[in-house]
Amino acid sequence: MKLTIADVAKMAKVSKSTVSRIINGNYEQNTEETVKRVLKVIEELDYKPNALARSLKLTKTNIIGIILSNLQNPFWANVLEGVEDTCHHLGYHLMIFNSNDNAALEEEHFRSFESRQLDGMLVNPTLQNIELYQKFTNNGFPFVAINRKIYGMDVNTITVNNIEGAKLAVNHLITSARKKIAIFLYPPDGVSPRIERLEGYKQALTENGIEIDPSLIEVINEKKGEVEEAVRKLLTRSNPPDAIFSTNSLMTLEVLEGINKINRKIPDDIALVGYDETVWSKYLNPSLTTVKQPAYEMGEMAARKLIQMIESKKDRKKIESEIVSLAPSLIIRDSCGATKSGSAHSAKYTNL
């Protein structure tokens, strides 16, 4: 039997007009609990309004969406610039959503994409909604993962070679006569950039004949003050490290705060390399050596891949997916005591 909006309303115990508003993305007139209940019923019944079904089959809106994990991170500003420029050039509009790495909020954004009849989406996934990602890809909805790999799924992905980026950082520290190198990272929890940066750190040490010291691997929760406290404890213990590799730009700011609070000097007392080039890196004193990700290129390539999928005449389920891995580069400044300032390797990409 064909489902109707009345069936959804009855099961959700709301009016048909309430269901209609929520389907059309108008959440303001309802409580959060009502919105979630209606969306859950729509999911359970796999209900699709006739107008939406016709739109998905016959028309395009020329609008794509992007879900990012943390808009506070300056890395995403450059990614968004690449996405927006590409969309503008190819005649598409962009809707931007922030999940704040919250799985429930990410799911809500996915539902909004459905109701707003977007043509496709880019997502830096929380990795906590695998069944939902799988459902969208199985239905042939154009979907490209950006920055983070979704393990166990065949999905188009644009990312960076994070192992190589970490090795660039650690090898530079080693050539700067640093041998006791600590790494700071947020909990890996299946997040590919974090996993790969840790792996690159370990590979660089091993390849240079340096034993991996677990006490120098600092996995820090994303809570204000914890990085600063970890830095203080690490640098005031007996036989402290002579270098720190920080794997996130926001984390690097907290590392710097911790170093300054215990009156350690960079690079005399401790060398530092950060991950992600930012507008402020070169203005620090001393200026910060960083691993630069080709963020603009990542956004550009992800948008082009998504629009190619949208406009393809082929059955999207049969289009072979690929993981594109862009090459990072190292910008050498003064925070490691290096003499060659401002050098960098050119960024390239490879298909994995």
Side-chain angles (χ1 to χ4, degrees), residues 273-337:
V273 176
Y275 214 102
D276 282 334
E277 172 65 1
T278 67
V279 294
W280 42 261
S281 297
K282 65 181 178 180
Y283 297 113
L284 295 172
N285 185 22
S287 56
L288 181 66
T289 294
T290 60
V291 178
K292 180 180 179 180
Q293 300 192 86
Y296 182 93
E297 187 177 3
M298 176 187 284
E300 180 183 40
M301 293 186 68
R304 286 188 179 277
K305 169 59 71 173
L306 181 62
I307 292 169
Q308 178 189 14
M309 294 171 66
I310 292 168
E311 298 185 348
S312 174
K313 302 298 182 182
K314 300 178 183 178
D315 182 347
R316 291 175 187 141
K317 293 182 182 179
K318 296 180 180 178
I319 297 176
E320 186 176 351
S321 62
E322 62 178 351
I323 296 177
V324 177
S325 181
L326 300 169
S329 57
L330 185 70
I331 298 180
I332 300 173
R333 297 195 178 97
D334 301 323
S335 61
C336 302

